[in-house]
Amino acid sequence: MSERVLVGMSGGVDSSVSAYLLKEQGYDVIGVTMNLWSFEEYGGEMVGEKGCCSMDAFSDARAVARQIGIPHYVINFRDEFRRAVVENFKKEYMLGRTPNPCVLCNTKVKWIDLLKKATDLGCKYIATGHYANIRFNNETSMYELLRGEDPKKDQSYFLYGITQDALSKTIFPLSKISKDKVREIASKLGLKTAQKKESQEICFIPDNDYRRFLKENIDDFDKLIKPGKMYDSNGNDLKRKHDGFPFYTVGQRKGLGGGFSEPMYVKAVDPLNNSVIIGKKDDLSKREVYVSELNWISGSPDQNEHYSAKIRFNTTDKPCKIRFEENKMIIVFDEEVFAVAPGQSAVIYKDELVVGGGIIDG
């Protein structure tokens, strides 16, 4: 009897091809699309084509499942997603921080709630269309998370928070495949999702307007959040107002007003004093980054080792060392990094290995 695997199908090309490849490898494949949110709950309008959790996404996933000959289910995870991801998103912005909802969705929803559903359905494994890799280390008897082999698509950054147990039950069918190859496979099969564009926005903010989302989804937002003062890096009052501190994030350049002799960026957000501090690019550079809520997915770190680290997804990792103070990790980069944003994730690498990571405090 073949081993059963649950494939998370978003309605996109990556998960579509993942399901097909597993079916071809002889697995007993079940396709599941997670219903995580709705427009009625969070508002906004669709921008672009067929975003996550739209009726089109459900329809596309179902059509692909039918074409490759596997069962498909839509399962409601709205409550779990709201508690784990959306409420955290709102809370963090109200604290002047910048969260990464994709990391939380993977950690708390896909690899806890969806994995439990997979077990209930008699599945030995869960699979997704992430570009990442897994191997078993015989010396340490641990499963290890590795970068995907396509450096342009590597998504290991978003996965550092899952557990050893979850990793042992996970398959990444696209671990050794490029995005171009995935589209080629889908096109040859005539899959409906073959040329579907990728979604770039936060899934539950499909219009990409997070200001609107906060205003509409936080009780008494307009009473709690008022315009406030802007200061420079030396504490000088710039005599100009910000629109409300949750609308600013470290590294932001737009929306600061003109009249400066050189580009200015948000350096810090101070919710207690309702102020925004801005500075020149050099003012936002630092070598030490403080990180908490740590998870070591592929083994314990060594303070004597040299690593590299990413402080946000769309950057390259930079050489560093690490040390610990109480329950916090301090990343000491070899050279300064720009715009370290509290709330984002910092992920530690040893070559291709994802060692672990946590949430940036500053």
Side-chain angles (χ1 to χ4, degrees):
M1 184 175 178
S2 58
E3 294 176 321
R4 181 173 291 176
V5 56
L6 181 151
V7 181
M9 299 183 69
S10 65
V13 65
D14 296 327
S15 55
S16 298
V17 172
S18 295
Y20 165 76
L21 292 174
L22 290 169
K23 178 79 182 300
E24 288 297 293
Q25 292 166 21
Y27 286 96
D28 176 13
V29 180
I30 297 175
V32 168
T33 301
M34 304 175 72
N35 184 347
L36 300 175
W37 62 275
S38 71
F39 294 100
E40 291 78 12
E41 285 180 288
Y42 304 133
E45 296 182 2
M46 184 64 63
V47 175
E49 62 169 326
K50 303 179 182 180
C52 167
C53 280
S54 68
M55 291 305 297
D56 283 328
F58 299 149
S59 175
D60 289 349
R62 184 176 291 112
V64 168
R66 186 183 302 115
Q67 185 171 351
I68 64 179
I70 64 171
H72 174 263
Y73 306 97
V74 175
I75 300 180
N76 189 332
F77 285 103
R78 289 188 188 180
D79 289 343
E80 294 86 347
F81 185 77
R82 183 181 66 254
R83 287 194 297 266
V85 180
V86 179
E87 292 304 319
N88 173 270
F89 185 90
K90 296 190 294 185
K91 180 190 74 173
E92 288 286 85
Y93 269 102
M94 293 298 280
L95 292 173
R97 293 160 60 93
T98 309
N100 189 314
C102 292
V103 169
L104 266 185
C105 182
N106 287 329
T107 304
K108 303 291 187 181
V109 184
K110 289 178 182 172
W111 271 273
I112 292 181
D113 299 312
L114 186 60
L115 184 56
K116 183 179 183 301
K117 179 59 68 174
T119 302
D120 293 343
L121 292 171
C123 297
K124 185 175 181 180
Y125 299 106
I126 184 175
T128 68
H130 284 92
Y131 290 83
N133 207 346
I134 298 170
R135 73 182 176 202
F136 183 74
N137 187 322
N138 289 306
E139 292 184 5
T140 63
S141 296
M142 295 187 73
Y143 287 86
E144 296 177 334
L145 176 66
L146 307 172
R147 304 178 200 256
E149 292 198 13
D150 182 349
K152 294 181 293 184
K153 289 299 300 177
D154 170 48
Q155 294 171 307
S156 59
Y157 172 91
F158 297 111
L159 302 167
Y160 77 88
I162 65 180
T163 65
Q164 269 289 300
D165 179 64
L167 204 59
S168 73
K169 299 172 182 174
T170 299
I171 301 173
F172 293 128
L174 308 185
S175 61
K176 300 182 184 300
I177 303 178
S178 70
K179 182 75 174 195
D180 290 342
K181 182 64 176 178
V182 166
R183 290 205 183 276
E184 180 185 327
I185 293 170
S187 294
K188 285 182 177 179
L189 294 170
L191 298 184
K192 189 176 182 180
T193 56
Q195 299 305 319
K196 193 170 182 179
K197 295 179 181 178
E198 294 185 69
S199 175
Q200 300 295 325
E201 67 280 337
I202 295 169
C203 67
F204 56 93
I205 311 180
D207 58 2
N208 210 24
D209 185 354
Y210 87 96
R211 288 188 172 202
R212 176 209 52 83
F213 174 84
L214 295 176
K215 288 179 179 179
E216 293 180 0
N217 290 277
I218 293 178
D219 293 339
D220 297 324
F221 184 88
D222 289 335
K223 295 179 181 178
L224 295 170
I225 302 302
K226 301 293 183 183
K229 292 184 176 182
M230 298 179 71
Y231 298 89
D232 67 16
S233 294
N234 297 315
N236 298 311
D237 187 346
L238 295 173
K239 307 300 182 183
R240 60 177 72 195
K241 295 284 188 178
H242 63 72
D243 297 331
F245 70 82
F247 299 148
Y248 299 82
T249 185
V250 172
Q252 178 177 327
R253 184 176 171 184
K254 293 182 178 180
L256 305 183
F260 298 107
S261 60
E262 58 186 284
M264 300 293 282
Y265 304 83
V266 174
K267 179 182 180 181
V269 177
D270 183 353
L272 291 178
N273 295 302
N274 189 28
S275 60
V276 172
I277 298 90
I278 66 175
K280 303 172 185 177
K281 191 168 186 179
D282 287 347
D283 295 329
L284 275 72
S285 298
K286 60 194 301 186
R287 286 188 60 200
E288 293 194 353
V289 177
Y290 286 73
V291 184
S292 61
E293 300 182 47
L294 306 173
N295 182 64
W296 303 108
I297 188 170
S298 300
S300 300
D302 183 345
Q303 296 186 71
N304 296 314
E305 282 277 2
H306 219 92
Y307 297 103
S308 62
K310 273 190 177 188
I311 57 168
R312 62 177 59 81
F313 171 63
N314 58 349
T315 60
T316 56
D317 44 308
K318 302 294 185 183
C320 67
K321 296 195 76 172
I322 59 175
R323 70 176 193 269
F324 296 92
E325 290 183 4
E326 298 179 347
N327 62 342
K328 288 186 184 292
M329 171 178 65
I330 302 170
I331 305 173
V332 184
F333 286 96
D334 291 3
E335 298 179 359
E336 291 183 333
V337 292
F338 173 71
V340 179
Q344 286 285 294
S345 290
V347 180
I348 307 297
Y349 293 85
K350 181 64 176 178
D351 300 321
E352 299 307 302
L353 178 70
V354 180
V355 182
I359 305 298
I360 294 172
D361 288 329

